[in-house]
Amino acid sequence: MSTFKRATLVGGQLNHHASNQLHSDHMVVIKPLLPAEIFSTILDYLPVADLLQFARVSRRMREMVYDDTRWVQRLQSMGCWNEAEARKRFEEGMRKKWEAQKGKEALQNDNTRAPTGDASSGRTTIFDATIEEEKQKSQAADIAKSRSITDGFGTLNLSNINGPSVYMSIPQDPIAVLGVLSTIQSVRGRARLEYGRVYGALAPFYYDLAKSRSHTDPIIFRVYRDPEQQAQMLAQLKIFSQSDMAQGWQQREGRLNAMMEIFENAVSREFEHGYEAGDIDGRMRRYAHVLAVLNGGLVGIELFIQKNPILIDKEKLGHSMDSLSGSITLTPSQEFFDQLASSINEQSSIIDRVFPPTINPMLPFIERIGEEVISEYITPLFDEAHERNIESYLKAVAGIFEQSSRFAKSLRPTKGYGSKCAEDVQKVINRVFEPHIDLYLQEELDFFKRQSNAEVNSWEKKLSEQDATAESFFMANINRQADKRDFLTSFKKVVMMPVNVLPTFPMYSPFTLSKPASSSQQSSNGNTLDISSASSQAPTRTGSPSNAPGRSVSPNPEAPKTELAAKAAIMNSRLEGIRSLFSIEVALNLVHNAKASLERVVLFVSVGGQTGEEAKEQCQTIFVVLLQIMGTRHVKAGFDKALEHLSEYNPREVSEHNQPGVAPLVIFLELVNVGDLIQQMVDVFYEQELVAARLTDRNDFLDPAVKEKKRFEQMLDERVAAGLNKGIDVLMDEVEYICATTQLTTDFNPAETSNSQSQGFDIGPSQTAKQIVDIVSSHTKMLVGSTDKNVLDVFNQEVGVRLFTALCKHLKRQRISVDGSIKLISDMNHYFGYIQTLKNPDILQYFKALRELSQIYLIDPTHAKEMASIIADGDRFYGIFRAEEVYEFAQRRADWYQVRRAVERAMYGIGCEIM
């Protein structure tokens, strides 16, 4: 509730006099106060003299002015405060203080527990004169010690802050001032005293120089006469000016910079005169050190580089066009880098004699040489080489870059450089070559593509020329009139003839040198020619096609006279030429081309950065292109042609079947060996050139090189699998042909002798069985070591199953007597023995059943009941044959019609009567 009360009216009237109201109120004086933050900001921009006067205003202002962080900030602006050192000193002081406090407490505890016999020991001493006297002496010593430290603020005259007396007098010991900045200690709580010492030593020179109007006015040049001392003082004043934040600091700093520039120009002229006079250990050395003390010696370094004879007389090192006199040669460029390295090493020794170890003129000197000497040498060379010949350009870029890398390692570092000289020089070389690397990488890839495609094109062209030459030779004597060249008609007429009447023609391997023709003669009708021994040779490793036209066809034999003979000879030539569908030599040339390109490109991986990554990616791209050209254009195309030729093979058109293998399949398996060898070449190249050089990671499935390598291997496996499948078809066709043409009817059904004496039997396998086993085993053995074990197992299993089927078909076409069953059992045992060598238990069961099946032909006709029980026993044949199938095989007995009724009666009950 409000306590306001109305004023009581005197005499019933209101006093309206204005002065009465003024006299009734009390005047309140309000002193406005600024926030501490504004005060602190203002203090940051006050001169030191104003700060000290401001500290006299009040205790609060004194605390703000004497705040240690304010003076730490000024020392930090000069770069003279080490926070880590200050923290270390503070922690050390706190540790000592804590140890002293702990010792004092321990001493007090010991005094309180000490026993005494004095009656007065229980009394407490309130005042000890001895202790107080020692304390006063210690405080007096500290005061005297603090007064002995000149902080620069005690000599400051504050009576007239606007007059010239505001600046302190020149120190009495000028030599001690030269190293005042190096004596600053980073101690918390003493920053004001440390800055005061610096201020007292440097402020008189600083403000005197700011007032000077010419270079003769500053007192610093009268106090210090030695150029080294003058440079040292000017350098300290430059650092001290960083703490000047008061009004007009720009003008004072500008005056200081102008004076330093005048002094620097004078010293530079003396250095230049000494350089021109060759006074290395005299004026050059002295004034180089003066410039180093003043501002790091950048002007001296620049003068040394500009006047250097290497840059002035760079034409004496050599001309870049000397490397292009005729073909590209890198000998002149090597001489250029050798002379340049020798000259730089001479200048390196001069640098050690002239400049102090604290500065490094070597790096800017090398950078200038890279820009004005090396770059001007290589740029016209690369441009001209690129115009003349791309291969010369590629060799020039890679070769000169390698020479420049050796040049970088051959330079002798200066004393002040350290161990990073070669690394820094290499970086300079990299920057010089960087404008040329992008064009080089693209040209390198394009050149490799053109070179590889040209290699494959040359191979294909030679093959096509040989095919055309061979075909034209074979068809040379053929009359191409329509009524005489119908091949189909002639084939229908000849196909009914015996096999040995089919025309053959001598062919030679495309990978052997031309041999003299054997004594082959042509019959009068021109249909029969002896096959040359060259066509039956064991296949050799793939090589490049010979330069001779055709397939080394001997010039002595005449061309076939009939079209059928010519067509057969052409087909035979194609089958012989399967081995020449792709070549190890071509693959090796492609790998060598890729290796040459990689060895050039990999040099630029060391450049690092984006350029190094691009060079690394280009190495992977070269490997990818290698696999694409080698795989798609060469190996894949060769396998496809081989499959096409294999599909055209017909054993009835071949007259020679006494060889240990089927010619086209033997050749294709040799092609598989060549493909496996090429894959091993790719693996070795990948491991040594890419993985070992860390250009790719074999475990990174997203890496382009890894992906392309897996794609190449998959393509090769698919082509080998397709070829083996087609090869099995060809092999089985050959087996069936051999069975049909070489198996005599008397092998399993010998003629009966008229006499009653026992006939001698040949218990060994037939020639047909031996030939089949030899052919099949020779092909399965050829794959050992050239394909994966899984592929080999699948191939052997497929061959075994298909062989089993072919033998079953062959068996159903025979008539087998009891006497001939001995030969049949021997054949089956011979097949079984071969299958055992394949070590495949799955297909072994088939031939066990086949061996058991041959036993039914050995049973005497009088034992028809036992024969029927064997036929009906399914377990005897391991579940391979059903009883109906065994019964069908039993019908091939020569005496089947004699035992049929008895066997059927025993099996099915035919002829039984119901009792």
Side-chain angles (χ1 to χ4, degrees):
M1 188 175 187
S2 177
T3 57
F4 175 76
K5 295 182 179 180
R6 292 183 178 274
T8 306
L9 296 176
V10 181
Q13 294 181 356
L14 184 62
N15 187 5
H16 296 284
H17 200 278
S19 61
N20 294 336
Q21 184 65 27
L22 293 175
H23 289 296
S24 63
D25 294 335
H26 296 282
M27 299 295 293
V28 179
V29 179
I30 301 176
K31 296 180 179 180
L33 296 177
L34 293 175
E37 292 80 3
I38 297 179
F39 273 119
S40 178
T41 305
I42 293 174
L43 294 178
D44 289 339
Y45 296 98
L46 287 181
V48 174
D50 293 344
L51 280 176
L52 299 180
Q53 187 177 11
F54 190 80
R56 294 183 176 185
V57 174
S58 65
R59 181 179 298 175
R60 180 188 178 194
M61 296 299 105
R62 183 176 179 273
E63 292 176 354
M64 295 184 68
V65 171
Y66 282 22
D67 185 14
D68 195 61
T69 58
R70 187 175 312 282
W71 306 100
V72 168
Q73 182 181 1
R74 289 180 179 267
L75 292 176
Q76 287 178 343
S77 64
M78 295 189 299
C80 300
W81 179 264
N82 190 342
E83 185 63 28
E85 180 185 354
R87 185 181 299 108
K88 183 178 179 181
R89 290 177 181 271
F90 176 76
E91 292 175 354
E92 184 69 19
M94 292 299 294
R95 185 181 63 80
K96 291 181 178 180
K97 184 177 180 181
W98 179 79
E99 291 177 354
Q101 182 67 23
K102 187 176 181 180
K104 184 177 180 180
E105 292 178 356
L107 183 62
Q108 290 178 355
N109 294 335
D110 293 341
N111 292 335
T112 56
R113 296 194 188 98
T116 178
D118 191 0
S120 63
S121 60
R123 300 176 183 177
T124 303
T125 303
I126 299 176
F127 177 76
D128 191 344
T130 304
I131 296 176
E132 290 296 327
E133 184 177 0
E134 292 178 356
K135 185 181 296 186
Q136 290 179 1
K137 289 181 179 180
S138 178
Q139 292 178 356
D142 293 340
I143 294 172
K145 184 178 179 180
S146 63
R147 288 180 178 177
S148 64
I149 301 176
T150 303
D151 58 1
F153 296 145
T155 59
L156 192 62
N157 186 2
L158 303 178
S159 59
N160 185 7
I161 62 174
N162 295 323
S165 60
V166 70
Y167 306 110
M168 298 174 294
S169 60
I170 302 300
Q172 297 180 358
D173 187 8
I175 303 300
V177 178
L178 293 174
V180 65
L181 292 180
S182 61
T183 61
I184 296 178
Q185 295 181 351
S186 301
V187 181
R188 292 179 179 176
R190 294 179 55 87
R192 183 178 64 86
L193 298 178
E194 294 295 327
Y195 183 79
R197 288 196 303 109
V198 175
Y199 188 86
L202 300 180
F205 297 101
Y206 178 70
Y207 288 106
D208 176 75
L209 190 145
K211 295 188 300 178
S212 302
R213 299 190 179 185
S214 66
H215 63 279
T216 59
D217 295 340
I219 194 175
I220 186 174
F221 298 119
R222 296 194 297 271
V223 175
Y224 301 99
R225 294 293 184 179
D226 189 42
E228 288 83 355
Q229 295 179 352
Q230 294 174 352
Q232 189 172 357
M233 280 300 300
L234 289 174
Q236 288 192 126
L237 293 180
K238 180 64 177 177
I239 297 174
F240 177 75
S241 66
Q242 302 300 317
S243 66
D244 184 12
M245 293 175 287
Q247 185 178 5
W249 66 269
Q250 295 93 340
Q251 291 79 6
R252 290 188 291 273
E253 187 175 6
R255 178 63 63 179
L256 174 62
N257 292 335
M259 201 61 63
M260 291 181 66
E261 185 177 355
I262 294 173
F263 179 78
E264 185 180 45
N265 292 336
V267 176
S268 300
R269 285 193 298 270
E270 294 296 328
F271 178 83
E272 185 176 0
H273 294 160
Y275 198 179
E276 294 174 352
D279 188 6
I280 297 175
D281 297 320
R283 284 184 292 175
M284 283 187 66
R285 176 181 175 85
R286 179 183 184 185
Y287 292 107
H289 283 68
V290 171
L291 291 173
V293 172
L294 180 64
N295 55 9
L298 296 179
V299 176
I301 295 174
E302 187 65 25
L303 282 174
F304 177 81
I305 295 175
Q306 289 180 357
K307 299 292 183 178
N308 198 275
I310 297 179
L311 298 174
I312 297 175
D313 302 328
K314 55 187 175 183
E315 290 79 9
K316 296 181 179 180
L317 298 174
H319 298 281
S320 59
M321 292 299 117
D322 295 341
S323 299
L324 292 177
S325 56
S327 60
I328 182 67
T329 174
L330 299 181
T331 303
S333 60
Q334 184 61 51
E335 295 176 354
F336 165 80
F337 282 109
D338 292 341
Q339 295 180 12
L340 182 60
S342 177
S343 301
I344 292 177
N345 288 332
E346 293 178 2
Q347 297 300 317
S348 176
S349 61
I350 295 176
I351 289 175
D352 289 336
R353 293 164 58 186
V354 172
F355 295 94
T358 55
I359 61 177
N360 181 23
M362 190 69 173
L363 182 58
F365 179 52
I366 295 296
E367 290 177 349
R368 185 69 65 84
I369 289 178
E371 295 173 359
E372 299 185 7
V373 179
I374 300 178
S375 179
E376 293 182 4
Y377 179 85
I378 65 173
T379 300
L381 173 61
F382 292 165
D383 294 341
E384 184 65 23
H386 186 269
E387 292 293 332
R388 292 186 182 183
N389 184 268
I390 294 299
E391 186 175 4
S392 299
Y393 168 75
L394 299 178
K395 292 180 179 179
V397 175
I400 294 179
F401 182 79
E402 187 176 7
Q403 291 176 351
S404 63
S405 299
R406 292 197 297 266
F407 156 78
K409 297 177 182 178
S410 65
L411 297 183
R412 184 182 66 83
T414 58
K415 295 180 180 179
Y417 208 128
S419 59
K420 296 182 63 178
C421 178
E423 181 180 352
D424 292 341
V425 175
Q426 186 62 51
K427 291 180 180 179
V428 174
I429 297 297
N430 295 342
R431 287 196 296 269
V432 172
F433 275 83
E434 193 168 358
H436 307 279
I437 294 179
D438 291 339
L439 177 61
Y440 164 76
L441 293 178
Q442 187 60 43
E443 291 291 351
E444 185 71 66
L445 180 60
D446 295 340
F447 175 76
F448 174 71
K449 288 181 180 179
R450 291 194 299 268
Q451 193 178 28
S452 301
N453 287 321
E455 183 75 24
V456 178
N457 291 336
S458 176
W459 166 263
E460 293 176 349
K461 183 179 179 181
K462 289 180 181 179
L463 286 182
S464 61
E465 290 176 354
Q466 291 178 5
D467 291 338
T469 304
E471 185 170 355
S472 62
F473 173 75
F474 294 142
M475 303 298 292
N477 295 332
I478 305 301
N479 186 359
R480 295 195 174 272
Q481 295 179 2
D483 55 348
K484 294 183 179 181
R485 63 183 180 181
D486 187 2
F487 173 72
L488 183 59
T489 303
S490 60
F491 177 76
K492 289 180 179 179
K493 294 178 181 179
V494 179
V495 76
M496 303 304 297
M497 297 180 183
V499 177
N500 57 2
V501 183
L502 289 177
T504 59
F505 191 76
M507 295 300 302
Y508 294 92
S509 173
F511 311 106
T512 56
L513 296 177
S514 299
K515 298 181 180 179
S518 60
S519 59
S520 59
Q521 296 179 355
Q522 185 178 4
S523 61
S524 59
N525 57 5
N527 289 336
T528 303
L529 292 173
D530 293 337
I531 195 74
S532 174
S533 60
S535 63
S536 61
Q537 290 180 350
T540 58
R541 287 290 180 188
T542 304
S544 297
S546 60
N547 295 328
R551 281 183 166 76
S552 302
V553 179
S554 176
N556 294 331
E558 297 180 2
K561 300 298 183 180
T562 64
E563 186 173 1
L564 179 60
K567 290 293 186 180
I570 291 174
M571 185 196 71
N572 201 5
S573 175
R574 288 179 178 177
L575 293 177
E576 285 288 338
I578 287 179
R579 285 173 294 180
S580 64
L581 292 177
F582 59 81
S583 167
I584 291 180
E585 293 181 7
V586 173
L588 190 61
N589 291 336
L590 294 177
V591 171
H592 282 170
N593 294 338
K595 179 179 174 61
S597 296
L598 281 180
E599 288 178 348
R600 291 193 293 262
V601 175
V602 77
L603 297 174
F604 299 95
V605 177
S606 60
V607 174
Q610 183 179 358
T611 303
E613 289 297 325
E614 291 177 355
K616 186 176 181 181
E617 293 176 0
Q618 202 74 327
C619 292
Q620 298 176 358
T621 304
I622 291 175
F623 180 73
V624 170
V625 172
L626 168 67
L627 295 186
Q628 289 175 350
I629 295 177
M630 182 189 297
T632 304
R633 291 206 53 197
H634 193 54
V635 177
K636 181 177 179 294
F639 270 114
D640 291 342
K641 290 180 181 179
L643 291 176
E644 181 181 354
H645 294 169
L646 272 177
S647 62
E648 297 175 357
Y649 174 77
N650 188 352
R652 295 183 178 275
E653 298 177 1
V654 179
S655 62
E656 187 63 43
H657 294 276
N658 296 325
Q659 302 303 321
V662 182
L665 183 56
V666 170
I667 296 171
F668 182 82
L669 294 180
E670 183 65 17
L671 196 66
V672 173
N673 290 331
V674 175
D676 180 69
L677 185 59
I678 291 177
Q679 182 176 355
Q680 294 180 16
M681 289 168 52
V682 171
D683 291 339
V684 172
F685 178 78
Y686 175 77
E687 291 292 333
Q688 293 184 355
E689 299 297 329
L690 276 80
V691 176
R694 297 182 180 180
L695 299 176
T696 185
D697 184 7
R698 67 165 67 92
N699 299 321
D700 185 6
F701 63 93
L702 295 178
D703 189 271
V706 176
K707 292 168 62 177
E708 190 62 32
K709 183 173 180 292
K710 291 184 179 297
R711 191 179 296 112
F712 174 79
E713 294 172 351
Q714 182 180 2
M715 179 275 299
L716 200 59
D717 292 341
E718 291 175 354
R719 292 303 177 277
V720 169
L724 293 179
N725 186 38
K726 180 61 68 175
I728 292 174
D729 294 339
V730 172
L731 180 61
M732 291 303 107
D733 290 342
E734 186 72 14
V735 168
E736 291 179 359
Y737 181 81
I738 292 174
C739 290
T741 57
T742 63
Q743 190 80 63
L744 301 177
T745 57
T746 57
D747 288 343
F748 302 143
N749 189 14
E752 296 181 358
T753 57
S754 59
N755 55 2
S756 59
Q757 296 179 356
S758 60
Q759 181 183 4
F761 295 100
D762 182 11
I763 60 175
S766 63
Q767 292 299 324
T768 300
K770 292 180 180 179
Q771 187 175 353
I772 291 174
V773 170
D774 291 342
I775 289 177
V776 176
S777 62
S778 64
H779 292 87
T780 54
K781 290 179 181 178
M782 289 181 64
L783 288 176
V784 177
S786 62
T787 58
D788 185 69
K789 185 178 182 302
N790 296 328
V791 176
L792 183 62
D793 292 341
V794 172
F795 177 77
N796 291 338
Q797 183 172 358
E798 184 67 19
V799 168
V801 173
R802 299 281 293 275
L803 178 62
F804 171 81
T805 304
L807 293 177
C808 290
K809 292 170 59 178
H810 176 61
L811 193 59
K812 291 180 180 180
R813 291 194 294 263
Q814 305 300 314
R815 280 295 176 183
I816 306 166
S817 64
V818 175
D819 295 337
S821 63
I822 302 298
K823 181 69 68 174
L824 177 63
I825 293 173
S826 299
D827 286 358
M828 296 306 165
N829 288 332
H830 190 58
Y831 294 135
F832 180 80
Y834 161 69
I835 296 300
Q836 279 184 319
T837 61
L838 300 182
K839 298 180 180 180
N840 193 323
D842 295 334
I843 60 176
L844 193 62
Q845 297 294 327
Y846 288 89
F847 287 85
K848 284 183 179 180
L850 200 60
R851 190 175 59 175
E852 293 294 333
L853 180 64
S854 64
Q855 302 294 328
I856 64 174
Y857 301 104
L858 189 60
I859 302 174
D860 191 83
T862 60
H863 299 85
K865 186 175 181 180
E866 288 77 2
M867 186 187 305
S869 63
I870 292 176
I871 293 174
D873 187 4
D875 296 335
R876 186 182 184 91
F877 305 102
Y878 307 99
I880 304 299
F881 298 114
R882 301 192 306 271
E884 294 79 3
E885 294 175 339
V886 179
Y887 177 79
E888 185 178 354
F889 280 106
Q891 292 177 359
R892 306 313 301 169
R893 287 178 60 99
D895 55 358
W896 174 248
Y897 292 104
Q898 300 176 11
V899 300
R900 175 182 177 182
R901 184 176 181 84
V903 172
E904 290 179 350
R905 182 183 299 112
M907 290 181 62
Y908 307 115
I910 299 177
C912 295
E913 295 180 358
I914 300 175
M915 301 299 296

